[in-house]
Amino acid sequence: MYPTESFYMPTLDPAQAPTPDPDAIELVAAESSATPDRALPTVAIAGASGFVGTAIRHALADDYRIVGLTRSPARAASGNDGRVLWRHCDLYSLKAVEAGLDGVDVAVYLVHSMLPSARLTQGTFADLDLILADNFARAAQRAGVKQIVYLSGLLPDDKSDLSKHLRSRWEVERTLAAHGTPVTTLRTGLVVGKGGSSLQILVNLVRRLPTMLLPSWTDSRTQPVALQDVVRAVQLVVGAPERFTGTFDVAGPEVMTYRDMLERTARVLGVERKMTSVPVITPRLSTLWVSLVSGSPRALAGPLVASLRHNMVVEDNRVQQAIAPQALGFEEALELAIQPDGTPFPDARHGHRQLDDRAVRSERLVRSVQRFRLPRGRDAEWAGAEYMRWLDGFAGPLIRVRVTGEPGSQVARFSVRPLPRPVLELTHSADRSTPDRALFYVTGGLLAETDAPKPARLEFREVLGGTTLLAAIHDFAPRLPWVLYRLTQAAAHLFVMAQFGRHLDRLAERADGA
């Protein structure tokens, strides 16, 4: 780890001057580039191959050692480019994240779980995001990371009725800060830059629809921001947790409705579009319409559409004041983000995403995540033991669960009558478990392939201040033929977990009423 005095680089503090001077920030960055390479602090970027991550790593490369954390085996295998050390890092594995953050001073977190990470994924994107963020926060604390910088989304003042997408962003903010590492959260609206998936949806809608029927959510107000201004905000806060811990809104200079945004996009593209308001289009129909017309997956379009019903405008703050004097307007940023023929630039990950998708399908692995209410006064270790005890009673005499061995080396064997051997064997990992995270490796059983390249595991973990329990299976390789597995074992797992959730609800109600 680098010494503290080489980590905190001098940057402009807007609170110390009535008018922030972005040129001063650039001057400081230029001066710092002369620092000997051995003294440069290290910045790890999770999501470094995305369009925002690509821009950030290029902007920081002269002043920091850059570690690019990527889940893409294809990207990691492509080699280092002299400015970035790429590390293949499965963020679902706490051990892998710990290795990825080894020797890191600042960690930039740009991750969202919208796309599949296994051939079969059971669970919502919000629950998957919670696991990723919790792993990152735990690993950052253990690695001695001095600051996490998280790029989140603008949130409305009233957080009682957030869309699932925005509520997930808010949960991630709190989860990243839950293990003690200072967190700087930059909240943005639509980021206008080359390769942005949300921008691609916007541009393709305008390009492909001569007449547009606009649902009521297009009257919501928002404040888009140019990619280069997001990068300037990141440059300002990186390495300065003592001044920028907390949440800061970042946006461009213009407040507009989504209808305004569509009209301005048409103007930049040089096309005329007739737009008519239609109050009867539901979010589900809007999602289908946006997905079909833009060519974007529904898994990406759905959460985006659902979040657009909120008014999302920035609250003034020191970071916003620093970037505002040179911030680009929407149309100027859009002109830089599209190709001469008016088409959006492809996603920066387009070149290796097909290879990654093929690898995911060929591995035949399963990920399953369920969220439960954790009874007051209980922890994750208790939940793991309670699951074994409850299942033995709930499914008996058909399914029996027997736990043997001494504490710290216990083995749970799941048997189904009349089969002569256990169908599943789980071994408790004492050295990787803590009271708030119980880990079991899949070490045998008729229904599991135990020679798969990734270790299959079951975990129970506390999140959101101990009020919520996540039960997750990672990298499980079924021995049954794939179609048969999905119809039987996978469906049975979801049923059992739903019943376990009801059991925990009853226990929680008793604890609250005691």
Side-chain angles (χ1 to χ4, degrees), residues 379-382 433-438 460 462:
D379 60 18
E381 283 279 20
W382 169 87
S433 295
T434 55
D436 61 354
R437 178 178 177 261
F460 298 85
E462 301 172 38

Side-chain angles (χ1 to χ4, degrees), residues 127-248:
D127 295 345
L128 297 170
D129 270 345
L130 265 182
I131 283 186
L132 298 179
D134 192 57
N135 273 346
F136 203 79
R138 289 171 186 265
Q141 188 275 329
R142 294 179 185 181
V145 172
K146 302 180 182 71
Q147 180 189 25
I148 296 173
V149 177
Y150 172 48
L151 190 63
S152 185
L154 288 178
L155 298 178
D157 293 334
D158 182 7
K159 298 179 178 61
S160 62
D161 187 33
L162 293 176
S163 70
K164 292 180 180 179
H165 178 63
L166 294 181
R167 182 166 295 280
S168 174
R169 294 288 187 95
W170 192 32
E171 288 180 343
V172 168
E173 290 181 15
R174 290 178 282 160
T175 300
L176 288 173
H179 294 278
T181 303
V183 177
T184 305
T185 298
L186 301 177
R187 292 177 175 170
T188 76
L190 174 69
V191 179
V192 184
K194 294 180 180 180
S197 55
S198 297
L199 183 68
Q200 288 179 4
I201 292 175
L202 175 72
V203 172
N204 285 332
L205 284 175
V206 176
R207 288 179 57 243
R208 296 171 182 174
L209 287 177
T211 300
M212 307 183 73
L213 302 179
L214 303 183
S216 59
W217 53 257
T218 57
D219 292 327
S220 299
R221 294 185 306 143
T222 189
Q223 206 164 344
V225 60
L227 174 60
Q228 71 176 52
D229 295 325
V230 174
V231 172
R232 288 198 297 127
V234 172
Q235 288 178 295
L236 177 64
V237 303
V238 161
E242 77 287 358
R243 285 176 291 166
F244 294 110
T245 295
T247 300
F248 304 89

Side-chain angles (χ1 to χ4, degrees), residues 260-330:
D260 293 335
M261 200 182 298
L262 292 167
E263 291 173 345
R264 294 186 184 203
T265 300
R267 185 159 59 235
V268 171
L269 295 179
V271 297
E272 293 186 4
R273 293 293 182 256
K274 182 178 180 180
M275 301 184 186
T276 304
S277 297
V278 180
V280 296
I281 299 180
T282 66
R284 181 169 294 185
L285 286 175
S286 294
T287 297
L288 180 61
W289 164 62
V290 168
S291 179
L292 288 173
V293 174
S294 68
S296 300
R298 265 187 276 183
L300 179 64
L304 174 65
V305 168
S307 66
L308 298 183
R309 60 187 171 88
H310 300 286
N311 287 313
M312 292 181 289
V313 180
V314 301
E315 295 184 2
D316 192 34
N317 61 80
R318 291 182 292 131
V319 176
Q320 179 66 13
Q321 291 169 7
I323 70 166
Q326 293 182 332
L328 291 183
F330 174 74

Side-chain angles (χ1 to χ4, degrees), residues 363-398:
E363 285 182 328
R364 294 181 73 250
L365 298 179
V366 177
R367 175 163 289 109
S368 184
V369 181
Q370 285 75 44
R371 179 188 300 217
F372 304 122
R373 180 181 175 188
L374 184 61
R376 180 165 47 88
R378 301 296 190 177
D379 60 18
E381 283 279 20
W382 169 87
E386 178 66 10
Y387 174 72
M388 312 296 179
R389 187 204 64 77
W390 167 84
L391 183 59
D392 184 61
F394 170 76
L398 178 62

Side-chain angles (χ1 to χ4, degrees), residues 66-110:
I66 304 298
V67 173
L69 304 181
T70 177
R71 72 174 184 176
S72 167
R75 182 65 188 88
S78 65
N80 303 317
D81 58 14
R83 295 169 67 86
V84 179
L85 171 63
W86 288 100
R87 293 178 180 174
H88 180 230
C89 183
D90 177 8
L91 293 183
Y92 287 103
S93 167
L94 177 57
K95 184 180 292 187
V97 186
E98 290 170 354
L101 293 181
D102 182 45
V104 167
D105 296 295
V106 179
V108 180
Y109 191 77
L110 308 170

Side-chain angles (χ1 to χ4, degrees), residues 410-413 424-428 440-445 448-451 455-457 476 479:
Q410 293 178 319
V411 177
R413 294 181 176 86
L424 199 63
E425 178 184 279
L426 302 178
T427 300
H428 181 246
F440 302 84
Y441 285 106
V442 179
T443 51
E449 289 283 1
T450 55
D451 58 352
R457 56 206 184 273
F476 180 76
R479 185 168 289 178

